[in-house]
Amino acid sequence: MRSVREKTRDVMRILEVARELQRDESLIQKLVASTGLSIEGVRKGMAEHLETDATEDDVERFVLKFGDVSRVTLILAANVFVGSLRAIACARAKGERVTVRPSSREPELAAAIVRALGDPNIELVSTVEVRNLREGEIHVYGKDETIAKFRAAAHVPVIGHGHGLGVGFLTTKTPVEDVLAGLESDIVAFDQRGCLSLRVLFVEGGPARAEEVGRALHRALNTTKVPRGELTREERAESVRFSDTMTMVGEVFAGHAHVVAVAPSDAPAIVPPTCRHVLVRCALRDAEVTSALAPIAKWVCAFGTDDVARARKLGPVHARFSALGRMQKPRLDGYVDLRVT
Amino acid sequence: MDPIEESNGLHDHVQAMVAAFEGNEPAPADPNTLACDIARFQARNIPGFARLCARHGIDPDELVSAADIPAVPTDAFKLTRVFAFEEGEPVVFQTSGTTVGRRGRHIMRGTDTYDAAALAFGHRMLMPPTLGVQPPFIPVLVLGPPPSEQPDSSLTHMFSMFATQMGSDATGQETYFLRDGVFELARLDERVARALALGEDESVLLLGTSFAFVHFLDAMGSDTFRLPKGSRVMQTGGFKGKSREVPAAELRREIARVFCIEEGDVVSEYGMTELSSQFYTYPGEDTLASIFTEPPWASVVPVDPETLEPVEDGKIGIARIVDLCNVDSAVVIQTQDLVRRERDGFVLLGRMPGAAPRGCSIAIDEMLGPS
């Protein structure tokens, strides 16, 4: 069994390797090809959202959150590309040995980290036969359905990290202009493909303020310096469906690569598709936020706000609460998904 | 013009079209023109629809073709009031499924147009051809709950109307065979035995949802439940996660087997809460078993999910449905059901899947679960 010091060293080494990869132009090109994000989108992810800035003290606190198992088999079924760094770090903090199976859709960063590490205790595989695993535990990042399938087949414990989304709450104490850059960043990063991505924004106040925020967000997204990546045909179809539906409900501000829909306070918090689609919904009272959140609360992984103390009373306990603009920049403090116990 | 008067006038036109169909007479109005008139009325009275027209660059006053009317996505019925009148909800039908805690709501001023259209086309497609056009007809049995258990279901309303208007005199006990979620097989058996005892000509019409039939089939196993000769079965709807899923052709075959009827006497219906009209597969002809046909007042066009333009002949698209009976709500709706035109009708090919997640962000389909 490794000491805390040894574990900290192992995780620090992973972060060090990731820092080197941040500047690896050939990897960035590969990530553009595998993710479909724009090159600016990949650069933003690598520069701003790859969690490499943790100090040794941070990492020591991080490793203390994990117990010890002989082996962690890490299955990355679906995650944003930078997510593989924290997933490997968590697996390594816990496992004496780690087997990494990267996402078939986005294998590049996980593979690059493992190769660059050259750690004999971390191996890279392309397939995993779950039912044959007899030691340690399995960490799976993917849909609930995928996790359930692995749980059904496995003979060892399965730690599942399901899909999720981010919501925001902007109170009346902050003018929208003060948080616009942060909102833009929370939406633009990874084209909203992350479980921490902002997709529904509650705005304290009446319909006029929600519309003002919607318009401001529309302007910000129109002038963003990070172009959206390519959409699949299905994603384009979802965009059309969302736009037409929300036009029936309220105001829709559609740009060339985003849609901001403003809904009245009696509309449910319908979750928009990914790829820069946002629902802005006004809330005259805090109770309107909690009741609108109730049907989707179990999927809320991130809660961005200008008033964290107040938001904690409104959002689900398992959400990560942060300032707007920090939703997709969580500290390296354990599993990214706080729903995992 | 007063919206109520305008609505009444449009309902009259649609009902005249239905009456002409019943009497095998030519349609008294051009469906295309009537669709445009209804769309103009809706744009004047439903702010969301006016915005949708503007978004698509359509001036309702300039409409000359139903093909240019922007389609209202069915999702909108879950999120907002799609109704030409701000006050009142005389009749509300609700969807069974929910989206983020909300059921879809189709508000109507009344059910006269709905009832007339459903009866006219239902009679044409469901009644054995040997029967006349005047009542009394045949026993109508429902493998579903009585209206008192589902008062806001359009399907239950339609079943109830078929039972009272198309069926022979019968009590509720003699008509509905699912109560509080439990099949009342003994009563159904007794009812069918009575019909059989009346002789060869006493056929019945059995109505039910797909998942009700699957549960019935599961309960019967390899046994059979003989219906009188000439009987017909109408099955409708998806499985909604309420039973195991069975492919359409297999379900039809199994229904025919268990009830000892011809496969051609198993008729499928396609409808939804957001519509006032229904579509049926052609009865009696095995070769047309999967092709749905439309009444003159409704039509289904496969469109490209991205451009919403009609797809080429023979290609698959999502169903854009023009329904003239939706006078006060949405004369054209956009579904996510995959369809292809075939012969004079269309085939249903399931539901368009949502975009696959390309990260850990939850996809809409994943949140909705089985539909």
Side-chain angles (χ1 to χ4, degrees):
Chain A
M1 206 163 63
R2 291 168 300 162
S3 66
V4 170
R5 193 182 180 81
E6 287 168 320
K7 284 179 166 193
T8 303
R9 182 205 58 207
D10 289 342
V11 173
M12 285 301 287
R13 174 68 188 135
I14 294 170
L15 301 189
E16 192 182 310
V17 157
R19 273 193 288 273
E20 286 161 17
L21 292 172
Q22 276 176 308
R23 294 181 297 276
D24 185 335
E25 200 51 35
S26 68
L27 175 61
I28 287 172
Q29 296 297 339
K30 284 181 190 166
L31 285 166
V32 170
S34 65
T35 62
L37 294 171
S38 66
I39 189 158
E40 294 86 347
V42 171
R43 288 210 169 104
K44 174 177 164 59
M46 289 294 263
E48 299 176 25
H49 301 277
L50 198 62
E51 297 143 350
T52 55
D53 56 357
T55 64
E56 196 163 338
D57 287 346
D58 292 335
V59 173
E60 192 175 308
R61 279 193 293 275
F62 170 78
V63 300
L64 281 169
K65 294 200 170 176
F66 298 93
D68 293 284
V69 293
S70 57
R71 175 184 290 277
V72 171
T73 302
L74 173 61
I75 300 172
L76 297 165
N79 53 284
V80 289
F81 70 93
V82 300
S84 49
L85 171 62
R86 184 189 287 247
I88 292 170
C90 293
R92 188 65 181 115
K94 199 166 190 183
E96 195 72 39
R97 281 164 296 139
V98 175
T99 301
V100 180
R101 198 221 71 179
S103 158
S104 55
R105 287 196 194 89
E106 198 303 282
E108 302 298 345
L109 185 59
I113 291 170
V114 175
R115 287 195 193 105
L117 275 171
D119 182 341
N121 292 309
I122 305 185
E123 64 170 340
L124 196 62
V125 296
S126 54
T127 55
V128 170
E129 197 58 63
V130 170
R131 67 178 63 103
N132 293 343
L133 298 174
R134 300 287 166 175
E135 68 164 318
E137 63 186 30
I138 301 168
H139 293 189
V140 187
Y141 293 71
K143 290 197 285 189
D144 289 349
E145 192 186 330
T146 308
I147 294 165
K149 213 181 289 176
F150 282 124
R151 284 213 169 103
H155 299 287
V156 296
V158 174
I159 310 267
H161 303 252
H163 285 180
L165 75 143
V167 302
F169 178 49
L170 178 64
T171 71
T172 49
K173 73 177 187 183
T174 309
V176 62
E177 295 304 329
D178 290 3
V179 291
L180 211 45
L183 287 170
E184 179 201 325
S185 176
D186 287 335
I187 293 162
V188 162
F190 318 112
D191 289 350
Q192 284 180 316
R193 295 180 198 166
C195 58
L196 308 178
S197 299
L198 175 61
R199 287 160 83 180
V200 179
L201 175 65
F202 293 96
V203 174
E204 186 179 29
R209 182 155 194 257
E211 190 174 323
E212 178 204 343
V213 172
R215 279 184 195 282
L217 201 47
H218 170 55
R219 281 195 302 272
L221 292 169
N222 254 345
T223 54
T224 182
K225 293 191 167 50
V226 184
R228 185 169 68 178
E230 289 297 312
L231 268 55
T232 62
R233 179 173 155 75
E234 290 77 18
E235 286 167 340
R236 289 195 297 271
E238 282 190 347
S239 180
V240 169
R241 179 181 169 189
F242 177 70
S243 301
D244 278 2
T245 300
M246 294 315 297
T247 300
M248 289 294 297
V249 178
E251 288 295 331
V252 169
F253 303 106
H256 64 282
H258 70 267
V259 177
V260 178
V262 181
S265 63
D266 60 349
I270 187 164
V271 176
T274 59
C275 305
R276 304 190 187 181
H277 293 75
V278 191
L279 176 75
V280 176
R281 185 186 177 286
C282 69
L284 290 163
R285 288 172 294 279
D286 285 3
E288 287 178 14
V289 177
T290 44
S291 63
L293 269 180
I296 60 170
K298 69 175 176 175
W299 293 295
V300 174
C301 291
F303 199 124
T305 179
D306 60 321
D307 187 341
V308 170
R310 193 165 149 206
R312 282 189 191 282
K313 295 174 188 158
L314 306 178
V317 289
H318 56 251
R320 283 182 171 275
F321 292 87
S322 71
L324 292 164
R326 303 282 315 168
M327 289 176 69
Q328 304 216 56
K329 297 174 183 174
R331 287 186 308 113
L332 190 70
D333 56 359
Y335 294 124
V336 70
D337 183 353
L338 299 184
R339 294 172 298 180
V340 178
T341 51
Chain B
M1 189 190 287
D2 171 52
I4 293 278
E5 273 180 43
E6 194 175 359
S7 167
N8 285 342
L10 292 167
H11 277 284
D12 288 347
H13 284 304
V14 178
Q15 287 182 25
M17 186 176 275
V18 173
F21 169 79
E22 276 185 302
N24 290 316
E25 294 162 9
D30 170 29
N32 188 61
T33 305
L34 190 47
C36 294
D37 288 343
I38 295 171
R40 273 187 279 279
F41 164 71
Q42 291 173 353
R44 278 195 294 277
N45 295 287
I46 304 174
F49 185 61
R51 286 193 299 270
L52 190 66
C53 289
R55 178 177 152 71
H56 285 265
I58 297 294
D59 177 354
D61 290 335
E62 303 290 321
L63 272 173
V64 289
S65 168
D68 294 330
I69 300 171
V72 174
T74 51
D75 296 340
F77 286 79
K78 299 185 177 85
L79 304 176
T80 192
R81 184 180 170 96
V82 185
F83 188 49
F85 301 90
E86 282 183 18
E87 301 294 323
E89 298 188 348
V91 177
V92 181
F93 289 132
Q94 300 205 68
T95 58
S96 52
T98 63
T99 299
V100 289
R102 191 79 72 103
R103 293 168 73 190
R105 305 172 82 246
H106 190 176
I107 310 169
M108 297 179 186
R109 288 180 56 213
T111 61
D112 287 358
T113 303
Y114 178 103
D115 293 354
L119 269 175
F121 199 46
H123 188 277
R124 176 79 57 93
M125 300 304 289
L126 295 172
M127 284 288 141
T130 49
L131 288 171
V133 294
Q134 296 298 320
F137 302 121
I138 59 176
V140 174
L141 317 179
V142 180
L143 209 54
S148 57
E149 281 190 28
Q150 290 182 340
D152 59 2
S153 157
S154 58
L155 185 64
T156 302
H157 170 83
M158 187 179 81
F159 281 173
S160 159
M161 189 181 52
F162 283 1
T164 54
Q165 304 292 312
M166 285 171 27
S168 50
D169 285 344
T171 65
Q173 291 281 320
E174 293 169 319
T175 304
Y176 302 97
F177 298 94
L178 184 71
R179 292 197 183 249
D180 299 324
V182 178
F183 284 126
E184 297 189 318
L185 281 179
R187 271 202 306 109
L188 179 62
D189 195 29
E190 185 191 321
R191 182 77 174 97
V192 170
R194 231 181 324 136
L196 280 168
L198 288 175
E200 286 287 300
D201 292 336
E202 190 63 2
S203 53
V204 303
L205 173 63
L206 178 62
L207 313 172
T209 57
S210 300
F211 58 81
F213 280 112
V214 170
H215 286 306
F216 189 87
L217 293 171
D218 288 346
M220 294 303 296
S222 57
D223 290 347
T224 56
F225 192 103
R226 179 177 294 279
L227 292 182
K229 193 177 173 194
S231 293
R232 279 199 170 151
V233 170
M234 184 204 101
Q235 58 91 15
T236 183
F239 301 95
K240 297 181 167 70
K242 294 180 178 178
S243 74
R244 66 189 168 90
E245 301 220 356
V246 181
E250 186 185 330
L251 181 60
R252 198 163 45 241
R253 199 164 48 243
E254 276 299 291
I255 288 174
R257 179 196 64 76
V258 81
F259 291 112
C260 306
I261 58 175
E262 298 295 322
E263 262 190 66
D265 286 322
V266 181
V267 178
S268 299
E269 187 251 17
Y270 171 56
M272 62 191 75
T273 304
E274 297 85 349
L275 289 175
S276 303
S277 298
Q278 300 79 33
F279 309 96
Y280 295 95
T281 54
Y282 289 97
E285 297 187 49
D286 286 351
T287 52
L288 298 173
S290 60
I291 298 179
F292 287 87
T293 187
E294 303 130 300
W297 53 85
S299 58
V300 175
V301 180
V303 297
D304 182 285
E306 193 183 333
T307 64
L308 303 181
E309 293 293 326
V311 297
E312 288 172 41
D313 279 350
K315 301 278 185 196
I316 296 169
I318 52 175
R320 168 190 159 94
I321 304 177
V322 181
D323 183 358
L324 300 183
C325 296
N326 270 5
V327 170
D328 301 304
S329 52
V331 68
V332 186
I333 67 160
Q334 184 59 62
T335 76
Q336 295 299 305
D337 292 331
L338 293 168
V339 293
R340 184 180 61 224
R341 293 297 305 184
E342 214 164 286
R343 306 211 194 172
D344 288 332
F346 64 93
V347 288
L348 262 182
L349 299 159
R351 197 164 166 78
M352 192 174 101
R358 291 201 286 175
C360 46
S361 195
I362 193 154
I364 308 295
D365 276 8
E366 198 180 345
M367 294 179 75
L368 298 182
S371 60

